[in-house]
């Protein structure tokens, strides 16, 4: 990704959010999009004028596609202007002066058909796959089913609005293609709405993940969601967090549970050691600890104790090791051949000394 230069009009050197943005743009915008715009304001006010899509994604714990989607949204809303190179990469972002804009509310684009949230489930970042569309005749046939009628009624209650055509298409896809029962469809919507996610793309992504994992009943879905909520709660308590894990944090936890196969007890031990050594909830540091344990085939806390003991013994042996005396260095003096003296030599030396009057 190329570097992006950031420019603005009518924005001071402190992070000020124009009232027109709060009054006219924020209420109808996706929360993730609002975060991107606020971060751009902060970058400009802090003179962080050189940035990239990937740096914004890392800072906001989002994907690059989601950042691009947010930037395109605000460009359509005319509150920023994007400049692109021949490869269609964004090279500059120009924040517009909202005070010069008309007070007339903007016409909001319809984002029901777009993935306006990071479509993640409790396990992975599954993206909705392409699916067929149902004809009006087929929809009429399926909606005559009493199970589907009841599920549609409950879904309307969860969404707190009448069903749209795309809602019908998704419900029928879940029932016909993924073979979800009416009870599982209702629980799917209940689960997603409880997390504040009413977007159809998000709901579909969760459904696809469940289908891939063989979750085909309401009971299995409840067990799976409860299990992962337990994993998240374990990490939150260990790190002293009072919020839901972010996207990248969820990916780490998923890796520890699904790839490494560690229990909550082992994960908690790694989190505790992270806090002791770094004095902060550092997911990267915890991941390094768990990766080391995984490579050493740790299965229980007893294995961790064994590794600690081996490390301690190794350190003591290293400290107690006697350093052998080195061989005397060779120099021009000890390289000189030593002379051997006889008794006659000593007598001759004594006679010479006496003759000199000593």
């Amino acid at each position: 990704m190329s570097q992006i230069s950031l420019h603005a009009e009518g924005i001071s050197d402190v992070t000020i959010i124009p009232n027109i943005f709060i009054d006219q743009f924020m209420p109808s915008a996706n929360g993730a999009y609002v975060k991107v715009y606020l971060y751009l304001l902060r970058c400009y006010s802090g003179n962080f004028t050189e940035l990239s899509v990937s740096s914004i994604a890392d800072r906001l714990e989002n994907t690059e596609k989601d950042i691009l989607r947010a930037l395109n949204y605000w460009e359509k809303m005319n509150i920023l202007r994007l400049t692109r190179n021949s490869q269609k990469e964004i090279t500059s972002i120009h924040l517009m002066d909202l005070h010069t804009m008309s007070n007339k509310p903007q016409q909001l684009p319809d984002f029901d058909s777009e993935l306006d949230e990071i479509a993640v489930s409790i396990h992975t970042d599954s993206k909705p796959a392409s699916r067929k569309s149902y004809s009006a005749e087929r929809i009429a046939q399926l909606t005559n089913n009493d199970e589907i009628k009841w599920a549609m009624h409950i879904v309307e209650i969860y969404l707190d609005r009448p069903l749209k055509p795309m809602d019908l298409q998704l419900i029928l896809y879940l029932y016909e293609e993924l073979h979800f029962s009416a009870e599982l469809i209702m629980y799917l919507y209940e689960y997603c709405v409880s997390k504040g996610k009413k977007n159809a793309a998000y709901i579909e992504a969760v459904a696809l993940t469940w289908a891939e994992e063989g979750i085909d009943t309401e009971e299995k879905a409840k067990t799976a969601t409860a299990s992962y909520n337990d994993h998240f709660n374990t990490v939150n308590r260990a790190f002293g967090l009072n919020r839901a894990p972010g996207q990248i944090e969820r990916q780490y936890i998923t890796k520890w549970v699904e790839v490494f196969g560690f229990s909550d007890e082992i994960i908690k031990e790694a989190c505790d050691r992270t806090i002791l050594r770094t004095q902060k909830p550092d997911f990267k540091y915890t991941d390094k600890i768990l990766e080391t344990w995984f490579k050493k085939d740790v299965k229980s806390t007893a294995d961790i104790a064994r590794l600690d003991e081996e490390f301690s013994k190794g350190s003591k042996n290293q400290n107690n090791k006697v350093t052998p005396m080195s061989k005397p260095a060779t120099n021009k003096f000890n390289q000189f051949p030593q002379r051997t003296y006889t008794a006659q030599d000593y007598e001759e030396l004594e006679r010479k000394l006496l003759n000199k009057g000593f």
Side-chain angles (χ1 to χ4, degrees), residues 32-46:
Y33 299 168
V34 173
K35 284 172 59 178
V36 171
Y37 183 73
L38 295 181
Y39 183 66
L40 292 177
L41 291 177
R42 175 67 184 93
C43 286
Y44 185 79
S45 64

Side-chain angles (χ1 to χ4, degrees), residues 228-261:
Y228 269 80
N229 285 336
D230 287 343
H231 297 317
F232 296 157
N233 290 335
T234 295
V235 174
N236 276 3
R237 285 194 298 269
F239 278 160
L241 302 176
N242 58 357
R243 57 171 176 78
Q247 179 201 3
I248 295 178
E249 294 168 345
R250 288 196 299 271
Q251 290 175 351
Y252 274 127
I253 297 171
T254 299
K255 175 184 176 183
W256 302 338
V257 174
E258 294 192 351
V259 178
F260 293 163

Side-chain angles (χ1 to χ4, degrees), residues 19-29 37 72-80 96-111:
N19 287 335
I20 188 174
F21 174 78
I22 298 174
D23 295 339
Q24 295 188 21
F25 296 95
M26 189 176 73
S28 301
Y37 183 73
N72 291 332
Y73 173 85
W74 292 124
E75 183 181 36
K76 292 177 181 177
M77 299 304 299
N78 297 319
I79 72 171
L80 58 79
M96 308 302 291
D97 185 357
L98 303 187
H99 297 94
T100 63
M101 300 178 67
S102 169
N103 289 328
K104 182 180 179 180
Q106 300 289 315
Q107 180 66 37
L108 297 177
D110 182 9
F111 279 87

